[in-house]
Amino acid sequence: MEDASPYADEPLTPLDPGYVRMVRLLTGLALAAPVIGAIVLEAEQVLPPGAVAVPVVLAAGWLLLRLPLRRWRARGYVYGADALRVVRGLWWRRDITVPFGRVQHLDVTQGPLERLFGLGTLVLHTAGNHNSSVALPGLAHPQALAMRDTIRAHVALHSQ
């Protein structure tokens, strides 16, 4: 599934902008512990004033602003007539093309944060072990449902 794709030259469709907000919330939750720890150290006056809290809060703010946006820009997809190409990764790029003919079943998942931001994840399950499931997170939920239904109709039409 990771061979040359006829969609390799097409521009990627970006994920829904709500994905940035959701990743920003998750990043903020992950950064809360180090920020609180730095503030506690600051309050206990273990180190000189500002020695820990200032760098930690600045680094957390920078990560909170930059990381979600970079993750959003590093992901995308090409939704073709007979295949779906999914690209992701900041450091390790992963570029997978799933021909609709290989799809065995489809899911649209939606966790609590995805529901909060109106997002969904389209999951394509294929035959085989390597890359047998390909997930495309960060879609608007109605769009994920529509893509699932269109791919399902394509699979049903071509399996007859």
Side-chain angles (χ1 to χ4, degrees), residues 129-148:
N129 293 345
H130 184 65
N131 295 329
S132 61
S133 293
V134 177
L136 178 57
L139 297 172
H141 190 250
Q143 180 185 13
L145 294 173
M147 289 172 71
R148 179 199 60 192

Side-chain angles (χ1 to χ4, degrees), residues 60-75:
W62 184 82
L63 285 171
L64 193 60
L65 293 175
R66 296 290 302 150
L67 188 62
L69 193 57
R70 288 187 53 141
R71 282 189 64 189
W72 179 73
R73 287 182 180 152
R75 291 177 175 242

